[in-house]
Amino acid sequence: MAMAGLSAAEKSFQMQLQMKRNTEEMSSFLKDMSDWTRDVNQKDDNLKTTSKPNSALPPVRAQPKPRKKKKKQVTIQESIEKCEIETGGDRKGGKIRGYDYRAWDKFDVDAAIKEIDGDANKVRIEEEIREEEEEEEDGRIWFGFGGKAD
């Protein structure tokens, strides 16, 4: 409604009429909302009070076994210590002193790196194989294909 051509009394009357309509519309909306809330609460109470047929449910399927903790990654230092133990202890005579430059010139760094990497790779491959075997066993147990069933 255009209020440009109306007098002040008519504008006031139109504003009051619009406010009354807004109030009626708002009260109607709130009444509908409270009715809906009451209905939902009644349905919720009915569902809570009805007995639950727990005994009619099938048993829970087999649960997978909890996984074993993974071993920590083998560090280079641990790998070196393991090599020293396997090759005869501390290698007291095999250590090269920092000031013995001629011994360092003869030292084959590439061979030492390959030896360390080879041991680390063996450990890593063994861990991967063990994890795969555990996963396969868990799968057999989970799906009931033999293995160790609980």
Side-chain angles (χ1 to χ4, degrees), residues 74-136:
V74 177
T75 62
I76 294 174
Q77 183 64 30
E78 291 171 346
S79 179
I80 291 172
E81 291 171 359
K82 183 178 178 183
C83 289
E84 288 176 353
I85 291 170
E86 289 175 357
T87 57
D90 223 1
R91 285 202 252 176
K92 293 179 183 173
K95 273 191 172 180
I96 300 175
R97 303 285 179 196
Y99 55 84
D100 190 0
Y101 299 110
R102 289 186 185 157
W104 279 112
D105 289 339
K106 296 175 186 176
F107 181 71
D108 188 6
V109 176
D110 293 328
I113 291 173
K114 286 180 183 177
E115 180 181 342
I116 291 170
D117 286 343
D119 290 340
N121 285 338
K122 286 179 187 177
V123 170
R124 192 176 309 117
I125 289 171
E126 289 172 357
E127 285 182 8
E128 289 174 1
I129 290 171
R130 183 180 46 77
E131 288 175 5
E132 288 176 2
E133 289 173 351
E134 286 178 1
E135 288 176 4
E136 287 176 5

Side-chain angles (χ1 to χ4, degrees), residues 35-110:
D35 290 344
W36 176 81
T37 305
R38 186 176 5 90
D39 291 343
V40 168
N41 286 335
Q42 285 177 350
K43 288 179 182 178
D44 188 39
D45 291 339
N46 288 339
L47 289 174
K48 287 179 181 177
T49 58
T50 58
S51 64
K52 297 175 185 174
N54 288 337
S55 59
L57 295 175
V60 178
R61 295 182 181 161
Q63 298 294 326
K65 290 183 178 178
R67 294 193 178 267
K68 296 178 183 175
K69 292 183 180 178
K70 292 183 179 181
K71 291 185 178 180
K72 63 180 180 176
Q73 279 287 6
V74 177
T75 62
I76 294 174
Q77 183 64 30
E78 291 171 346
S79 179
I80 291 172
E81 291 171 359
K82 183 178 178 183
C83 289
E84 288 176 353
I85 291 170
E86 289 175 357
T87 57
D90 223 1
R91 285 202 252 176
K92 293 179 183 173
K95 273 191 172 180
I96 300 175
R97 303 285 179 196
Y99 55 84
D100 190 0
Y101 299 110
R102 289 186 185 157
W104 279 112
D105 289 339
K106 296 175 186 176
F107 181 71
D108 188 6
V109 176
D110 293 328

